[in-house]
Amino acid sequence: MGEIAGWHFQIVAALLFLLGVLGVLVRRNIIVMFMSIELMLNAANLSLVAFGRELGDSSGQIFAFMVMVVAAVEVAVGLAVIISLVRNRDTVNIEDASLMRW
Amino acid sequence: MDHVDDSLRWIPLLPLIAALLSGLWLMFAKGNLPRPVVIVLACGAPILAFAKSLWVVKDLATGFEPGQRYLVDNVYTWISAGDFHAELSFLLDPLSAVMILVVTGVGSLIHIYSVGYMDEDHRDDRGFQRFFVFLNLFTFAMLMLVLGDNLLVMFVGWEGVGVCSYLLIGFWYLEDHNAMCGQKAFVVNRIGDFGFLLGVFLLFWSFSAAGVPTVEFREMALSIGLLEGKTVQLPSWLSFLPGFPVWTLLTLACLCLFLGACGKSAQLPLYVWLPDAMAGPTPVSALIHAATMVTAGVYMVCRMSFAFSLAPGASATVAWVGALTALFAATIGMAQKDIKKVLAYSTVSQLGYMFLAAGVGAYSAAIFHVATHAFFKALLFLGAGSVILGMHHEQNMDRMGGLLRRMPWTGWTCLMGVAAIAGFPFMSGWLSKDEILLSVNLAHDVPGHSALYAIGVLTAGITAFYMGRLWFRVFTGENRADPHTQDQIKEQPSWILFPLVVLAVFSVVAGWGTLPDAYGDQFFGIRESNSLHYFLNHVAHSVHHEVDHSTEFGLATFSTGVAAIGFGLAYLLYYRRKGLEKQIVSAIRPLYRLVYNKYWIDELYQAVIIRPLLAVSDRVLSRVVDAKWIDGFGVNGTARFVVASAERVLKYAQTGLTQSYVFVMLVGGIVLIVYLVGGA
């Protein structure tokens, strides 16, 4: 095992992000899609922190905190949306929420 | 060094404030202001403005050297774009000084008179206050017009008096006819205004071509020499045409400006609105005709004298149109029966004189006639109003007569006005008219100047005739009204008589400050260098003729003689031998009918312009262009196209599937990143 270099982190982050994208695009369960979004956010966080450490600049880390706050807020709003969806339609399948269309 | 006086703005502001106070009250409060308050506001504002005008004009006349007489008040920068600047600013120089004194002075008297006149009006309980709002607004607009320091401020006033005349002429709007007359005045004036605007643009273009983009009068006058020898740059898409000299453009600009003046000042061929403007209350006629609106055109030509004096073609046009209008309107005046119509045509005719003067380069004589005309024409209109009130809204002279006994104040003051306009020696009108005729006679460089002079003198004779006719028919002989009306004729209250007396005095003496040396120096020891001409000469670029006194006497005697013949004829026909008129009329019946019907000019316009225009508007413009092309193809077509294409294509964008949205977003994001990264 050699030293863990900066680009290792970036590859992990990219893989994580791709996983998230795939999840959002492919899965129909809205909760799973939500978790996939979290995955993308964390990929971004990882990338930010890694860059921050590599460049010796703390703003990357600070931005990661920022993203966490936004993610928390997003979860709060998103869960509310999901709960009202479940109450009204009795489903967590995103394709059943396609009322706004032609 | 600039001569600044920050208080000039109060002269137009005072009437505006009065109009706003009174007008806003009328709009937002339920009832009227108490009458005394309306009267104080309405008359106070112009009187204060008059006092202020006297004050600043005194400063102007005494405080500066003759060539340096001007005061400027910059209120704020109105437009500032690139190297073009237009200030909202006021300019007091000898020319505007004369005008503001006339506008506020005669205007105040008319306001006072209106209190007496409108008291009678019971058609509309809010009418009294409404009338004074409009009247004050009119005064404000006219003061903006004459005090404006550049063409744009002048244009604001120019349009302002147009709107106010519309409001006032159609003041008794409950009768359709009156509203129509107001519209006619407005629409005819629009034609002139279009010319005026074109003139402003052309002038601006020519000055820009010379490198001084300005619309300010003083700057234009100072830099007009720069225009010489310059050629106009055409826009690039016209560059295959040769450029043409700025002088040509200047002549064109002057002609356009003069078209504007024709509209405002009721000259051929745009005079038709003015006789119909008689539909408004009589004080309005007096204000429009004497002190304000119609003199605006003359004032504007004199204000632009620096341009006109360099455009001989345009000036000759002005002179000829003026002379022909003077003669044409005077002949119509001979046959009219309505007392106000006679005066209306007389105004058109007198304005023709003013343009004749301006056209031969005698700008100061033109303004002199504007000033004296303001007094005697206001007097005549107000007198006619008093007669109309006395006769219970009878305007037909066939049913008047013998009023001198019942209404002596009105009768004698009117005689002063008649004498002034007819050219009784040493009356104000005589002096100003002779001044014009003298200048025309000496203007050898104007094409056909002797014909112009002949027309002028002939018109003087006709003027004396129809004014004499008016006075004899109204004030002498037997009263021809029905017995019931006859019993009620009585002199008017002092609200009405006071302005009449003041105006009568001024109709007599108003010219005495401008006596030419021929009489002034010889009889009264007044040198011409103290006179109005001298005061005006430095602003209006008047041509000055050296003339010996015997020529001046000879010409004056000649024109006075012609006027005396005209007046004598009126005396003969309408006082001495009344049967004679009928014989003459029947002898020349076709000619009489032609004149009586005003040469059928209105009918001609109706047939040649209005009816074809209406037909084209209705059949082509309305039914085809508007209904089919604009509405059908343009507006509805666009809407139909949008709906149809959205239905067929765009609806697929809205799947309602979250994941397809996310996918599009992702693709978009990738494209954006590739573009940004690849681009950098």
Side-chain angles (χ1 to χ4, degrees), chain A residues 21 24-28 33 94-95 97-98 100-102, chain B residues 651-663 666:
Chain A
V21 170
V24 171
L25 285 179
V26 173
R27 297 298 296 263
R28 298 285 179 268
M33 284 172 72
I94 191 75
E95 292 198 333
S98 58
M100 306 284 269
R101 54 181 300 194
W102 76 81
Chain B
K651 72 173 178 184
Y652 298 109
Q654 201 158 6
T655 59
L657 296 173
T658 314
Q659 278 159 333
S660 64
Y661 295 159
V662 173
F663 180 72
L666 186 77

Side-chain angles (χ1 to χ4, degrees), chain B residues 188-189 260-275 289 293-294 297 325 329 344 347-349 351-352 355:
Chain B
V188 174
N189 266 296
C262 279
K264 216 36 88 194
S265 298
Q267 296 295 290
L268 285 173
L270 297 180
Y271 74 95
V272 286
W273 65 270
L274 193 129
H289 284 234
M293 183 153 162
V294 297
T325 309
T347 305
V348 177
S349 171
L351 289 163
F355 279 111

